């Protein structure tokens, strides 16, 4: 592994996720890394220094001076500069909101913050906190500031939190952190975000559209936006800059770094997607856009009178076809096809007529796939005619499969 022989200084802060640091230390040591641990005082309430010292095979430090008698003059100096120079990487995991704030503003109040300010090596922050704390503007700004300083952010994951809420805020799994470090130390890499998607602009459409009949009623579909939001999250975690054009959903933003543009109608979605299209390197059109919209929406509520009511509909702009006709050779585009009959043939036709590079086929005949589910079963067809079939998975896993397919293609050109 690329992390073998590397010197990793692990900072552990006061978060319930601190218990995961034991596994993180064990995995790093097993991978051949030399690990030293610096804990904040509040971290000791969640995991003991003895546990981490035993696993790392090094003393755990938490104060600038280590004493036996309690008197500063009787102790030994824990040189924060030396620690910062020793490390090949500093990894703060879990990074509490308090620690993020201190590091982002340069407050030097304990050994860990002193090491951070002294470190000349790459520094990685893996946040862990409750969902509302993670999405609070101050935390978002602190993460942005830390990233602007050249630090690396290992984004929090979505799931059930200690509070009982479900959302973003979970510490990235130790296996994920070790994998990212291993990727970072690979020759020619140099960053967990300097993979093939680093710096890429990604445009994603997600969710349904609502086509107004009158101020009260609209035409829509059963899309929840879950698949598109999962894709946006996967791209953000891979280091891409994500613009998410979202129809009406009840979903929270999956990653604070994602720029969400909220729209309602198919026309609004087309305008927003068109505005972001030229700057995009990758376009993923996963929204369920209405094919037709009322030709003359009423400006007042339509009263129930006739036994039969006719509604004139007109075609909406075909976003995939329009953007596909403008696609440059350096752009890559993926579309979605939700079908009930002649699935493969219809998907291939859409792939070809809309000038897509990939088409993701969903069949409503597959149990657990399609709208409303937390799972999906897809078949991806590329413009070269190659077919990739995937089993039923969570939408987060499906999103990662799609990102991996795109990464593989980018690495081959």
């Amino acid at each position: 592994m690329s992390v073998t022989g590397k010197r990793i200084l692990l900072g552990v802060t006061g978060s319930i996720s601190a218990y995961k640091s034991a596994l993180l230390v064990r995995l790093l040591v097993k991978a051949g890394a030399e690990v030293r641990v610096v804990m904040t005082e509040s971290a000791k309430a969640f995991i003991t220094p003895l546990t981490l010292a035993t696993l790392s095979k090094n003393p755990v430090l938490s104060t600038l001076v280590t004493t036996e008698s309690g008197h500063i003059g009787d102790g030994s100096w824990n040189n924060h500069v030396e620690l910062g120079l020793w490390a090949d990487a500093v990894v703060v995991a879990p990074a509490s909101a308090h620690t993020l704030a201190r590091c982002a503003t340069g407050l030097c109040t304990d050994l860990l913050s002193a090491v951070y300010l002294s470190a000349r090596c790459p520094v990685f922050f893996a946040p862990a906190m409750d969902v509302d704390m993670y999405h609070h503007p101050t935390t978002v700004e602190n993460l942005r500031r830390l990233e602007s300083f050249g630090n690396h952010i290992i984004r929090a994951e979505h799931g059930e939190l200690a509070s009982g809420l479900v959302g973003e805020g979970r510490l990235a799994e130790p296996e994920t952190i070790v994998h990212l470090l291993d990727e970072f130390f690979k020759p020619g890499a140099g960053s967990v975000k300097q993979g093939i998607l680093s710096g890429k602009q990604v445009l994603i459409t997600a969710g349904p559209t609502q086509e107004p009949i009158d101020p009260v009623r609209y035409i829509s579909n059963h899309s929840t936006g879950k698949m598109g939001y999962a894709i946006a999250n996967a791209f953000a975690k891979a280091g891409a800059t994500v613009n998410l054009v979202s129809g009406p959903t009840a979903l929270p933003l999956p990653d604070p770094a994602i720029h969400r543009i909220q729209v309602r109608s198919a026309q609004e979605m087309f305008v927003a997607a068109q505005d972001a299209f030229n700057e995009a390197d990758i376009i993923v059109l996963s929204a369920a856009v209405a094919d037709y919209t009322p030709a003359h929406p009423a400006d007042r509520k339509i009263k129930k009178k006739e036994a039969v009511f006719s509604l004139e509909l007109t075609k909406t702009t075909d976003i995939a076809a329009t953007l596909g006709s403008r696609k440059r050779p350096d752009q890559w585009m993926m579309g979605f096809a939700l079908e009930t009959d002649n699935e493969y043939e219809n998907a291939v036709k859409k792939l070809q007529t809309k000038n897509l590079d990939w088409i993701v086929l969903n069949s409503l005949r597959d149990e657990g796939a399609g709208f409303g589910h937390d799972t999906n079963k897809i078949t991806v067809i590329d413009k070269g005619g190659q077919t990739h079939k995937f089993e039923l998975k969570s939408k987060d896993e499906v999103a990662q499969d799609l990102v991996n397919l795109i990464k593989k293609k980018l690495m081959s050109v």
Side-chain angles (χ1 to χ4, degrees), residues 107-301:
L107 290 176
C108 186
T109 56
D110 61 7
L111 179 59
L112 180 57
S113 54
V115 169
Y116 165 68
L117 291 175
S118 303
R120 296 182 182 178
C121 63
V123 180
F124 301 80
F125 290 93
M129 64 200 73
D130 207 61
V131 58
D132 296 313
M133 296 173 68
Y134 187 58
H135 287 287
H136 194 279
T138 55
T139 303
V140 173
E141 176 62 17
N142 288 333
L143 287 169
R144 187 200 65 77
R145 282 175 60 84
L146 288 169
E147 201 164 24
S148 73
F149 299 156
N151 301 298
H152 309 284
I153 308 301
I154 302 175
R155 301 290 173 186
E157 296 181 352
H158 183 281
E160 185 175 356
L161 305 172
S163 65
L165 298 176
V166 175
E168 286 73 37
R170 287 181 56 165
L171 177 69
E173 292 301 320
E175 294 85 354
T176 300
I177 296 173
V178 173
H179 172 73
L180 291 172
L181 289 172
D182 195 56
E183 289 292 311
F184 175 85
F185 283 116
K186 282 183 178 178
S191 170
V192 296
K193 288 199 166 187
Q194 286 181 5
I196 193 68
L197 292 174
S198 175
K200 296 292 185 184
Q201 294 276 345
V202 180
L203 167 63
I204 299 170
T205 64
T209 63
Q210 295 177 354
E211 309 305 315
I213 298 172
D214 61 21
V216 178
R217 306 174 181 90
Y218 57 81
I219 298 171
S220 191
N221 54 60
H222 297 296
S223 174
T224 60
K226 290 179 180 179
M227 191 69 255
Y229 274 58
I231 294 169
N233 195 37
F235 270 111
K237 287 182 181 297
T241 299
V242 179
N243 287 310
L244 175 63
V245 180
S246 174
T249 77
L251 300 174
L253 193 65
D255 189 302
I258 295 170
H259 178 224
R260 177 166 56 182
I261 305 113
Q262 293 186 298
V263 299
R264 182 186 177 198
S265 67
Q267 182 60 24
E268 290 175 0
M269 182 168 284
F270 168 67
V271 170
Q274 183 175 238
D275 288 345
F277 176 75
N278 286 337
E279 300 300 319
D281 301 295
I282 300 164
I283 303 97
V284 180
L285 303 175
S286 62
V289 185
D291 293 323
Y292 293 89
T293 188
H296 307 289
D299 57 2
R300 296 186 179 184
K301 180 181 177 182

Side-chain angles (χ1 to χ4, degrees), residues 41-52:
E41 285 299 319
S42 59
K44 295 177 183 178
F46 298 97
I47 188 169
T48 67
L50 178 60
T51 299
L52 298 179

Side-chain angles (χ1 to χ4, degrees), residues 27-45:
L27 290 173
L28 286 169
V29 171
K30 187 176 180 180
E34 184 180 353
V35 181
R36 300 183 70 175
V37 179
V38 173
M39 299 179 72
T40 64
E41 285 299 319
S42 59
K44 295 177 183 178

Side-chain angles (χ1 to χ4, degrees), residues 54 57 72 116 198 261 271 321 327 383-384 401:
T54 302
K57 301 178 177 61
I72 291 179
Y116 165 68
S198 175
I261 305 113
V271 170
K327 182 165 69 75
K383 65 179 181 181
D401 287 335

